[in-house]
Amino acid sequence: SGPRWLWRHFASPAFLRDIMAPVGVRPSVWARAPAPAPAQRASSHTSGSVPPGVARAAPQTGHSIHLQHLPYRVPSSRRRKRAVAIASFDDTAPAVTEPKPKLTVHYYRHAGDAATFGLHVWGTRVAHATSWDAPVGAAVPELTPGAAVSTEPTFVSFEVPLLDPSSDAFVAKTGDPSLSFIVHRGDEQCAKVENFLGDADHGDRAVWIVAGNPAVFSEPPDLSKLPTGETDLGKARAIWVSEGCFALPFSVDPSKVFVELVASSDGGLVITDNGAGGVVCENGGSDVRYIPLEIDSANWSSPDAGEAGDKYPHVRAAGYAIARLPAAYLEQNYAPWLLKCQLAVQAKDVTPDGRHGRLREATSVQTHGAVDDVFGGYAGPLGVEIKKPKNFGGFGDAESSVTIRLWAPTARDVSLRVFRGPDWGDHEFEVPMNETADGVWVVEGPAEWEGKYYQYVVDVFHPWGGGAAGSFVQSVASDPYARSLSADGQRVHICDLGNQNLKPAGWDDTARWKKTTNQSSEPTDYAIYELHVRDFSAMDESTPSDLRGKYLAFAEQGTVPTEHLKALAKSGLTHVHLLPSYDFGSVPERSEHQKTVDHAWLSSLPSNSPDQQAAVASIANDDAFNWGYDPVHYGVPEGSYATNPDGDARVLEFRTMVQGLAGLGLRTIVDVVYNHTLSAGPTDRNSVLDKVVPGYYHRRNFDGHYENSTCCNNTASENLMMERLIVDDLVHWAVSYKVDGFRFDLMGHLMLRTVVKARDAIKSLTVKRNGVDGSKIYLYGEGWDYAEVSGGRVGTNASQLNLGGTGIGSFNDRLREGVMGGSPFGDPRVQGVMTGLYFHPNNFMEQGGAEAQLKRVIEDSEKVIAAMAGNLREFEFTNKDGYPTPSRDACWVGSNVGYAAQPRETVNYVSAHDNETLFDGIMLRSAVDVPLDVRCRINRLAVATVAFSQGVPFFHAGDEILRSKSLDRDSYNSGDWFNRLDYTGNSHNFGCGLPGREKNGDRYGFIGDLLGDLTMKPDRSMIQKSTQHFKEVLEIRNSTPLFRLVDAADVQRRITFYNTGPSQTPGVIVMGISDDAVDGVTKQICGKFNRLLVCLNVSPHEVTITDPNLATDLATAEMIPHPTQGTMCLDDYLLGAKCTGGGVVVPGHTACVFVEPRA
């Protein structure tokens, strides 16, 4: 996201290709093809042994992993489309002396294109399992010489050699399927059959598959009696988009086809006679209704359908037809009852005498649009509400009460299980809940319920409830609006967040304890530091051992980590952005359940050994570390960071952390992950939303399966109550925990409307009414536009290009790519303007000749120019060809390099928790003969570029200490060992072993030698110099508002770039920022300086820039180095930096700032 599979955003494409079925398959029936034999945990140990230094846990029952066991979606990874090669077994199979038994799969498509599909096959009976990209090719029947060529579709066949169960080559593997196959074309999947053969099947076998029909035929079917379309109730292709409108995935002529809705109050819907008999109910006691649907000739142009089409534009764009629920059913308010049923739509031929004939289509129904229309307007309270009179004196007061509410409009019944404590033996009683007309289930209890724990038991139809089309289930569910929990989120804790015992001293006087923090409401005045809660102190010896890796470590005075942050805050750092700190499901919360590795033993191993990563990987899913992008309960702090994960300790300690950071001079930003949930389905303990209203909270594709482009179980903020949950949750964190900002993971997967609503709700918060000032809370996130949301397909999303004018920030990946080179998806050795492109090629790969590299340097320099001007869409500068160009056309016309409307909407960065650290990225890209001190200098140059750019600067924790993760590209589950932060400077993590094989194994060939070279490991003096430089550039930025302009028009007036156009000296960026009226500035904003000149030289050589425009603008100016420059980080290079005579001299690999002091 067998053992828990945890996925961060970008899964290895090779890993996915080799073991996974395609996107778009329902998780409960996923199957995994056999993976390659796993690498040994450590090179010196045999398979199955535990490496030295690894703490053994209690024995666990072993079994092979099958994806159908997973309770949530398998990630598709953010991969590009792949060309699929069709291979036959004859191409690859070794010669055999005896014929093998075989399975022949005959496949038919009504469209006649069956031969364009392939067969992906795996299992213990398969002689040669296929990879996804190379399925078995189809064999088309040969024509008899002289026979007429038929234009009718025909069966094609796939032949699969089998292993005989009685042969020596056959090895049964417990839990693995005997034989499973998928018919597919690229990522388009048509049919899937699992665990097909038994061990007793020794000879040849043959089956017939008809596209769209879930039946597996053992003899050729009579196609004339089968439906002509799809009849798989395992897919939900019809979409109930509003109370009165159904969107159908097939065209309908009302004179020839009859369409009806089939509803069963107790489930059991099936299709009889292999699809020929239509939809019936197998459950004899169920109330079954067949409701005729009326085809709407106005289609999407009618008002309610048009409104639904605006909400779900991808459905309308797909050409779905609109059918209506008859008016009588609407008048009698049938929709609430129907939404509690299993639903299907079927279309049948109309015979000449008007009767229903042959079945054409049948499908289950997605209901989220109708749920919104009927129940989505509920705005009342949810979760736990504790009422106490103002003179409340104790739990016995008769006027006190606890009310618990759950929005579950599709449930048939809900009850509440109450527990006196967090342990399994603490069950006390169960009470029924009552449903209101809003679809809300309510129960009221006495004040004595406070402090107890609860779960819901929800009786509801779930599409993953079992069988081919789902069933009614009784799910034991948690509360989406939980505010406190038992360990591992097993139960919800009834907790009053207003209780004074849950507040650190002085908590309610926010202004007092935040008075030493930044008081600006303008984000360009901020400087953000991204930090993981556990990284901060987990391996710090100055922090008390019981608080290491915990919230309370941030409130410990005098420790090395807190003193480090305090010093950074004094220099101008304003905010700490914490990686996920809500309740996530990827770490055992009780310390006694967390496995460990002996770090002393790991330290004794060679710097490029594979043994460290093998040891870490062997406990990775059971240790205390994970990034945490696996949300379970959005509104509760993570329990593993608390000293006690049961109950409300996590509430008090999280608040203490926020207050502690404020005491250091820093405000708190939290990472929020509303784009997906860790789990879904009716049974997994980490499934919350999907147990309560199945199929509603998650975005579904046209087959009804949950989208998983974010990694797993994409949520659907286009649905009203998912949107409300997001907005409510953000307000809850702002008010209950007084956090100062939110960083949205994969924000582009949320609707823009949702994020704007959240912005407005937060902005409305006031100190008088809510205890917080919403104007000082900043929202920003990852505005990537990809997968099913790309281009506004499912609605206008919160992507980079759509955020302009909202005041919401997004990460500027253009700066990162320009500075570092390449992209997160390519070879990590591709160079950028600061990592040696053109000036010092690494020759590790083909990057083009000198001319091509020069062209790229100049183009990528324009990305840096745009970023330094706030990455504003309309900011105009002189481009490489000498023409005035808006930043949206930097590099080339239509590039969309610049996209922001205001500086506050740009978050500039060159490194973050994703991908390699800044130092590691430089190490990978630098040519072999680049000395370590130069690499450290490039690190400082990149940091300075972020600090000296307009917009909001963002730094990854450790940028200032040359942080390394031993070249790990994705350390989400790499443990404390690879993620270590050492603020003492006494150690450095470069060369702490080869990084995790799963994410980095394809790089071992070129990173092994690099990690083995200990001369490339920075010493303490290098680390200290980097830290001092970081403080210095923060102080320079903080010294003048000219680095923190707030208005796009002001940026255009004040900022000029020199050394541009066709005659530029490549590799040198010179930016002037004016506060002088002679330059058209209408308002003086800096009392110290009349103007600034920022110079970046990415080349290794000293360069003199003589630009006529620069000479003119500096004609009367007396420019001197910034007073802080070189005072904190002594740098001999700066002695060569000069600005005289209208020109500027910039040393190699140097960022320098010149100022014109005011008289």
Side-chain angles (χ1 to χ4, degrees):
S1 2
R4 182 163 56 248
W5 280 36
L6 303 173
W7 293 86
R8 188 54 188 126
H9 296 324
F10 304 109
S12 163
F15 180 72
L16 291 168
R17 182 184 64 243
D18 289 342
I19 69 167
M20 291 192 178
V23 180
V25 184
R26 188 172 61 178
S28 58
V29 292
W30 269 77
R32 177 188 176 194
Q40 292 182 356
R41 292 297 187 188
S43 62
S44 58
H45 304 288
T46 59
S47 176
S49 65
V50 178
V54 179
R56 290 180 180 267
Q60 299 179 2
T61 302
H63 65 275
S64 298
I65 305 167
H66 293 270
L67 296 191
Q68 67 263 32
H69 296 161
L70 290 177
Y72 48 90
R73 299 289 300 168
V74 173
S76 60
S77 92
R78 301 172 189 181
R79 63 184 186 271
R80 296 183 175 89
K81 291 292 184 181
R82 302 184 298 270
V84 176
I86 304 293
S88 71
F89 284 111
D90 291 339
D91 295 328
T92 58
V96 293
T97 58
E98 297 180 4
K100 286 187 173 71
K102 67 181 178 181
L103 168 69
T104 303
V105 178
H106 302 278
Y107 175 61
Y108 176 88
R109 288 182 62 83
H110 299 290
D113 56 350
T116 64
F117 282 69
L119 190 77
H120 175 52
V121 60
W122 70 98
T124 58
R125 291 290 308 279
V126 178
H128 304 289
T130 65
S131 69
W132 185 254
D133 287 346
V136 182
V140 181
E142 295 183 5
L143 290 175
T144 302
V149 177
S150 172
T151 59
E152 292 297 317
T154 58
F155 279 93
V156 299
S157 61
F158 307 99
E159 292 190 351
V160 180
L162 302 176
L163 293 175
D164 191 315
S166 62
S167 72
D168 293 338
F170 176 75
V171 179
K173 298 177 182 177
T174 303
D176 274 1
S178 58
L179 186 147
S180 298
F181 64 81
I182 297 172
V183 182
H184 73 102
R185 179 171 55 192
D187 283 342
E188 177 188 354
Q189 179 180 310
C190 177
K192 177 176 59 180
V193 177
E194 293 184 282
N195 234 358
F196 174 65
L197 293 178
D199 291 346
D201 295 322
H202 287 250
D204 291 350
R205 289 291 305 275
V207 295
W208 283 258
I209 303 293
V210 177
N213 194 311
V216 179
F217 299 95
S218 59
E219 58 185 33
D222 184 348
L223 296 175
S224 67
K225 294 181 180 179
L226 295 182
T228 56
E230 287 202 48
T231 57
D232 186 354
L233 294 186
K235 296 180 179 180
R237 297 182 298 120
I239 306 173
W240 195 355
V241 292
S242 69
E243 182 179 9
C245 296
F246 288 78
L248 306 180
F250 43 83
S251 59
V252 177
D253 181 346
S255 67
K256 298 179 179 179
V257 178
F258 179 83
V259 181
E260 59 189 354
L261 175 70
V262 186
S264 172
S265 65
D266 198 35
L269 295 182
V270 296
I271 298 174
T272 60
D273 298 333
N274 292 323
V279 179
V280 300
C281 181
E282 287 185 325
N283 296 344
S286 182
D287 185 355
V288 182
R289 309 290 174 89
Y290 291 80
I291 302 172
L293 296 180
E294 301 167 351
I295 305 304
D296 188 349
S297 59
N299 213 23
W300 293 95
S301 61
S302 57
D304 56 343
E307 186 175 330
D310 292 341
K311 185 177 181 181
Y312 305 114
H314 60 301
V315 181
R316 179 170 55 192
Y320 275 44
I322 292 294
R324 292 189 168 277
L325 196 66
Y329 288 86
L330 295 175
E331 292 165 2
Q332 295 178 39
N333 196 31
Y334 249 72
W337 180 81
L338 290 171
L339 286 168
K340 295 179 184 295
C341 295
Q342 181 185 8
L343 300 176
V345 168
Q346 65 177 353
K348 290 187 173 183
D349 289 336
V350 177
T351 63
D353 59 359
R355 292 182 301 159
H356 300 176
R358 180 185 183 186
L359 181 67
R360 284 195 173 206
E361 301 268 358
T363 178
S364 293
V365 181
Q366 301 180 40
T367 62
H368 45 271
V371 170
D372 265 3
D373 231 17
V374 179
F375 296 109
Y378 177 70
L382 290 169
V384 173
E385 181 182 23
I386 300 176
K387 293 182 180 179
K388 299 177 183 177
K390 292 183 179 179
N391 61 348
F392 178 70
F395 287 122
D397 194 311
E399 297 183 32
S400 304
S401 65
V402 174
T403 304
I404 300 176
R405 298 178 179 88
L406 176 72
W407 184 77
T410 62
R412 297 189 302 186
D413 190 52
V414 180
S415 61
L416 186 79
R417 287 181 181 172
V418 178
F419 303 81
R420 60 181 169 269
D423 296 325
W424 287 112
D426 291 337
H427 180 258
E428 196 164 349
F429 57 86
E430 186 167 330
V431 294
M433 301 182 74
N434 299 312
E435 186 180 16
T436 70
D438 298 307
V440 177
W441 297 80
V442 184
V443 65
E444 185 171 325
E448 286 81 6
W449 280 15
E450 184 175 354
K452 296 183 185 294
Y453 295 78
Y454 69 90
Q455 297 169 329
Y456 298 114
V457 180
V458 183
D459 183 0
V460 66
F461 179 82
H462 200 295
W464 305 357
S471 66
F472 279 90
V473 296
Q474 284 197 333
S475 289
V476 177
S478 188
D479 195 329
Y481 279 75
R483 295 296 180 251
S484 181
L485 296 163
S486 67
D488 299 315
Q490 295 291 307
R491 299 170 185 168
V492 183
H493 180 227
I494 299 174
C495 171
D496 180 7
L497 296 183
N499 190 317
Q500 290 300 313
N501 292 330
L502 301 184
K503 300 176 181 179
W507 177 254
D508 291 327
D509 189 1
T510 313
R512 183 187 63 81
W513 56 265
K514 284 194 178 183
K515 66 181 179 181
T516 59
T517 67
N518 185 288
Q519 299 299 309
S520 175
S521 58
E522 176 48 57
T524 56
D525 289 330
Y526 304 162
I528 300 171
Y529 186 83
E530 183 193 41
L531 179 62
H532 186 274
V533 172
R534 186 166 178 83
D535 288 353
F536 177 66
S537 61
M539 296 180 69
D540 175 63
E541 294 183 358
S542 70
T543 301
S545 59
D546 59 330
L547 302 184
R548 293 174 192 170
K550 307 294 184 181
Y551 297 126
L552 293 180
F554 291 88
E556 281 294 300
Q557 297 183 8
T559 66
V560 171
T562 54
E563 289 300 307
H564 183 84
L565 285 188
K566 184 189 293 186
L568 298 186
K570 184 178 179 181
S571 293
L573 194 69
T574 63
H575 289 67
V576 165
H577 154 194
L578 297 174
L579 266 67
S581 51
Y582 52 72
D583 176 60
F584 53 82
S586 41
V587 165
E589 291 189 344
R590 296 185 190 275
S591 59
E592 61 266 30
H593 296 161
Q594 296 167 354
K595 298 179 183 178
T596 59
V597 178
D598 183 354
H599 288 173
W601 171 67
L602 296 181
S603 298
S604 70
L605 298 172
S607 62
N608 59 353
S609 167
D611 290 356
Q612 293 96 327
Q613 65 83 31
V616 170
S618 71
I619 64 163
N621 293 337
D622 299 295
D623 66 359
F625 183 88
N626 196 280
W627 281 348
Y629 289 90
D630 307 296
V632 179
H633 295 91
Y634 289 123
V636 186
E638 163 61 18
S640 68
Y641 299 148
T643 56
N644 182 1
D646 284 320
D648 48 28
R650 62 179 82 193
V651 175
L652 173 61
E653 292 175 13
F654 191 101
R655 288 170 166 172
T656 302
M657 174 185 67
V658 173
Q659 195 178 70
L661 280 166
L664 301 177
L666 295 163
R667 290 184 174 243
T668 303
I669 294 171
V670 293
D671 211 317
V672 289
V673 186
Y674 299 120
N675 62 80
H676 70 267
T677 62
L678 169 61
S679 183
T683 59
D684 188 79
R685 77 175 191 192
N686 289 322
S687 175
V688 177
L689 301 178
D690 202 45
K691 288 181 180 178
V692 174
V693 192
Y696 174 80
Y697 285 104
H698 294 96
R699 183 173 295 131
R700 306 177 74 176
N701 64 20
F702 284 137
D703 284 336
H705 307 313
Y706 294 1
E707 297 281 10
N708 59 12
S709 54
T710 62
C711 81
C712 46
N713 307 304
N714 295 8
T715 57
S717 70
E718 57 269 28
N719 296 339
L720 295 178
M721 293 301 281
M722 183 64 213
E723 178 175 81
R724 180 191 160 176
L725 175 61
I726 292 171
V727 175
D728 287 353
D729 197 62
L730 291 165
V731 170
H732 156 63
W733 282 99
V735 173
S736 301
Y737 293 98
K738 303 183 189 294
V739 300
D740 305 287
F742 299 95
R743 177 268 190 191
F744 289 79
D745 180 69
L746 295 183
M747 182 170 61
H749 266 61
L750 304 180
M751 294 299 100
L752 180 64
R753 178 195 71 189
T754 302
V755 183
V756 169
K757 278 187 179 181
R759 178 204 64 188
D760 293 344
I762 289 170
K763 191 179 291 185
S764 70
L765 301 175
T766 64
V767 173
K768 182 177 181 180
R769 186 175 63 250
N770 310 105
V772 295
D773 183 354
S775 71
K776 296 177 182 177
I777 297 176
Y778 184 42
L779 273 60
Y780 64 99
E782 294 178 309
W784 320 138
D785 188 40
Y786 74 99
E788 81 275 5
V789 300
S790 179
R793 177 179 170 269
V794 301
T796 303
N797 58 326
S799 63
Q800 289 171 326
L801 300 186
N802 293 332
L803 287 167
T806 65
I808 299 165
S810 67
F811 285 97
N812 178 18
D813 53 335
R814 282 70 159 163
L815 177 61
R816 179 198 61 191
E817 291 172 1
V819 165
M820 299 300 292
S823 79
F825 311 103
D827 193 308
R829 299 170 295 177
V830 174
Q831 294 176 293
V833 295
M834 292 188 187
T835 55
L837 183 66
Y838 176 67
F839 297 105
H840 205 149
N842 56 33
N843 297 319
F844 295 150
M845 75 213 58
E846 176 55 48
Q847 298 190 89
E851 185 176 346
Q853 291 195 36
L854 175 60
K855 181 176 182 292
R856 275 180 49 211
V857 161
I858 293 173
E859 282 185 350
D860 284 355
S861 293
E862 292 194 357
K863 294 178 182 178
V864 179
I865 286 172
M868 295 186 74
N871 215 53
L872 300 172
R873 183 172 177 81
E874 301 302 329
F875 176 80
E876 195 171 89
F877 69 100
T878 301
N879 73 359
K880 60 186 180 299
D881 300 314
Y883 300 108
T885 302
S887 287
R888 67 174 184 270
D889 292 329
C891 303
W892 61 85
V893 174
S895 65
N896 283 322
V897 166
Y899 57 79
Q902 296 294 343
R904 67 178 292 158
E905 295 168 359
T906 293
V907 178
N908 283 315
Y909 76 112
V910 290
S911 68
H913 70 275
D914 274 323
N915 313 119
E916 299 86 3
T917 67
L918 175 58
F919 177 83
D920 283 348
I922 293 167
M923 295 298 286
L924 285 165
R925 291 167 172 85
S926 295
V928 292
D929 58 344
V930 175
L932 177 59
D933 63 334
V934 173
R935 300 179 192 219
C936 295
R937 187 171 190 84
I938 294 170
N939 193 106
R940 299 197 295 271
L941 176 60
V943 165
T945 303
V946 174
F948 297 155
S949 293
Q950 302 295 324
V952 182
F954 176 98
F955 306 98
H956 179 218
D959 282 350
E960 79 284 13
I961 58 172
L962 304 174
R963 183 183 190 178
S964 173
K965 297 181 184 179
S966 208
L967 305 182
D968 198 334
R969 77 193 302 177
D970 187 359
S971 67
Y972 81 102
N973 205 18
S974 297
D976 295 331
W977 179 253
F978 287 98
N979 286 283
R980 181 178 188 177
L981 272 174
D982 183 2
Y983 289 125
T984 68
N986 293 328
S987 68
H988 192 270
N989 240 32
F990 184 80
C992 67
L994 284 167
R997 184 181 300 276
E998 178 189 338
K999 297 291 184 178
N1000 304 276
D1002 59 340
R1003 302 176 173 194
Y1004 280 6
F1006 60 83
I1007 66 175
D1009 289 345
L1010 183 56
L1011 290 171
D1013 184 358
L1014 293 181
T1015 65
M1016 286 292 146
K1017 194 181 187 86
D1019 59 24
R1020 194 167 191 270
S1021 66
M1022 292 175 173
I1023 295 170
Q1024 289 179 328
K1025 187 169 188 176
S1026 178
T1027 303
Q1028 291 303 108
H1029 175 266
F1030 187 76
K1031 293 189 226 178
E1032 182 174 289
V1033 297
L1034 285 176
E1035 292 204 7
I1036 291 173
R1037 178 183 177 86
N1038 207 36
S1039 69
T1040 169
L1042 293 176
F1043 279 120
R1044 312 188 306 274
L1045 302 177
V1046 302
D1047 179 70
D1050 212 24
V1051 172
Q1052 187 68 67
R1053 276 191 298 268
R1054 294 175 183 272
I1055 290 184
T1056 303
F1057 285 92
Y1058 306 100
N1059 187 41
T1060 59
S1063 61
Q1064 67 182 272
T1065 299
V1068 181
I1069 297 171
V1070 182
M1071 175 178 70
I1073 312 175
S1074 176
D1075 199 29
D1076 195 327
V1078 300
D1079 296 320
V1081 174
T1082 58
K1083 181 182 179 181
Q1084 178 182 311
I1085 61 172
C1086 181
K1088 299 178 183 177
F1089 310 125
N1090 203 41
R1091 71 179 66 247
L1092 310 176
L1093 196 68
V1094 181
C1095 306
L1096 305 177
N1097 182 3
V1098 306
S1099 77
H1101 312 293
E1102 180 180 285
V1103 176
T1104 300
I1105 300 298
T1106 54
D1107 185 316
N1109 294 324
L1110 177 62
T1112 299
D1113 291 346
L1114 299 183
T1116 60
E1118 294 291 333
M1119 305 295 292
I1120 62 171
H1122 189 284
T1124 304
Q1125 187 168 279
T1127 62
M1128 301 176 70
C1129 175
L1130 302 180
D1131 187 349
D1132 291 342
Y1133 278 51
L1134 290 174
L1135 298 176
K1138 299 179 178 62
C1139 184
T1140 57
V1144 61
V1145 179
V1146 190
H1149 294 140
T1150 295
C1152 55
V1153 179
F1154 299 96
V1155 300
E1156 180 187 10
R1158 291 202 180 276

